[in-house]
Amino acid sequence: MPEPSTVGFIGLGRMGEPMVRRLVAGGVTVRGYDSAAEAVKALDGVITPVDTAPAAADGVPVVILMLPDSNVVESVLDSGLLDALAPGTLLVDMSSSEPLRTRALAERVAAQGATLVDAPVSGGVSGARAGTLTIMVGGPDEAAATLEPLLALMGRVRHVGGVGAGHALKALNNLMSAAHLLASSEAILAGERFGLDPAVMLDAVNGSSGRSGSTENKWPNYIVPETYNSGFTAGLMVKDIRIALGLAEATGVPSELAARTVELWGRAADELGPDADHTEIARWLRQHTREGT
Ligand code: NAD
């Protein structure tokens, strides 16, 4: 099936805005809605703005959500969007939501004659701009196949399982990423205290077994230059890793490291504030480095 020529898109924030630009550059018309007027304004001339979430679903085969979390996704659905979905509509939740709530929501969407597909992303704001996100799709085969050409305008599409599977995998991915960033930050700060230069350490580690997305991307691009502007907040990271810890606990998998990771990130987000960039965890650790040692 060819990609739809018009889609609804709700949530035009740090990620939604560049994702919409990719869709429009690919020839898709977007009916866009965000509760923040400035987010809609930033896409002036790019989207067809609408005044309510249900209006985004008017006459379109696909409605995409890029909202903060399951609470907001459910409140937007309950504020009239669910009732506005025409039978056959594909509702695509690209937010990082909670997998069990996504499954429950899929039943309510199905009762409406529509289909919920989860398609959370990894790759950050820079990946959204470049159209190089990894998109983890959960849902029925037919819906995933229909959506593939549309989603491919925003990145690398992987159909990972039934509904909720994408949201589960995304949370687990961020648990790994959060643990890597903590581990690499502790190690690099210890090396720095020993007298090593962070740039020299990163150059060596990135050809060695300690490398990760944190050493290859976050440290050199946001932490060493002290810009802390990756575009992903500490509050959203804590939300994601709490979901992952819940999954680990529910499945009976040992999760001591996950629990400690959540605890440390929770403290950092409390002290830095939830809107702080998540890469500020390195600055937070540095502040907690003992003086005079
Ligand atoms: P954001 O806060 O920048 O954007 C969310 C947008 O939703 C905002 O513009 C906000 O005004 C809008 N919104 C909130 N409540 C609304 C409502 N009731 N109705 C309509 N609009 C509403 O967040 P973001 O960084 O773009 O993240 C969005 C999702 O993507 C989150 O689930 C996040 O975890 C995930 N994510 C973010 C990144 C990143 O690097 N920022 C990367 C991967 C995944």
Side-chain angles (χ1 to χ4, degrees):
M1 184 177 168
E3 71 207 32
S5 57
T6 306
V7 304
F9 202 113
I10 301 170
L12 309 170
R14 293 179 184 86
M15 292 294 285
E17 188 250 343
M19 288 163 71
V20 160
R21 288 185 189 277
R22 296 297 310 185
L23 292 176
V24 171
V28 177
T29 301
V30 173
R31 294 175 65 79
Y33 173 70
D34 194 291
S35 54
E38 64 272 21
V40 179
K41 201 161 181 297
L43 285 165
D44 214 14
V46 178
I47 57 168
T48 305
V50 294
D51 289 337
T52 64
D58 263 1
V60 298
V62 173
V63 177
I64 295 174
L65 308 178
M66 195 51 171
L67 296 163
D69 56 27
S70 286
N71 287 340
V72 179
V73 167
E74 288 169 11
S75 79
V76 168
L77 264 289
D78 289 336
S79 72
L81 178 62
L82 187 62
D83 295 333
L85 296 175
T89 307
L90 296 177
L91 177 67
V92 188
D93 184 10
M94 301 192 76
S95 335
S96 305
S97 305
E98 296 176 41
L100 292 176
R101 289 170 75 173
T102 299
R103 279 193 190 160
L105 194 59
E107 291 182 16
R108 295 178 60 207
V109 172
Q112 195 69 25
T115 302
L116 177 65
V117 171
D118 47 313
V121 306
S122 181
V125 173
S126 58
R129 278 206 196 98
T132 56
L133 295 169
T134 291
I135 305 174
M136 306 169 205
V137 178
D141 289 348
E142 197 190 331
T146 302
L147 289 168
E148 214 274 342
L150 178 76
L151 297 177
L153 295 174
M154 295 178 279
R156 197 172 69 106
V157 185
R158 293 291 180 271
H159 185 200
V160 300
V163 70
H167 282 155
L169 181 55
K170 167 63 188 171
L172 295 168
N173 174 79
N174 277 23
L175 174 59
M176 294 185 227
S177 163
H180 294 162
L181 187 51
L182 262 181
S184 58
S185 297
E186 287 183 357
I188 291 167
L189 291 175
E192 200 179 35
R193 272 301 177 97
F194 187 75
L196 285 156
D197 179 342
V200 170
M201 280 188 272
L202 288 166
D203 183 45
V205 166
N206 284 335
S208 306
S209 51
R211 72 182 179 277
S212 67
S214 299
T215 59
E216 290 177 334
N217 174 27
K218 295 176 187 183
W219 262 88
N221 292 329
Y222 309 111
I223 300 172
V224 171
E226 297 186 83
T227 51
Y228 304 110
N229 62 349
S230 78
F232 182 52
T233 65
L236 288 176
M237 179 63 102
V238 171
K239 177 248 319 179
D240 289 341
I241 63 181
R242 284 197 176 125
I243 296 170
L245 176 60
L247 274 179
E249 288 172 347
T251 50
V253 172
S255 49
E256 279 176 58
L257 181 58
R260 189 83 175 116
T261 302
V262 168
E263 185 195 324
L264 287 168
W265 272 95
R267 265 174 41 205
D270 281 348
E271 290 179 26
L272 292 165
D275 290 333
D277 197 85
H278 78 293
T279 55
E280 289 206 40
I281 189 104
R283 192 169 69 79
W284 177 79
L285 278 174
R286 195 190 298 274
Q287 278 168 0
H288 286 262
T289 304
R290 271 180 289 126
E291 292 304 322
T293 48

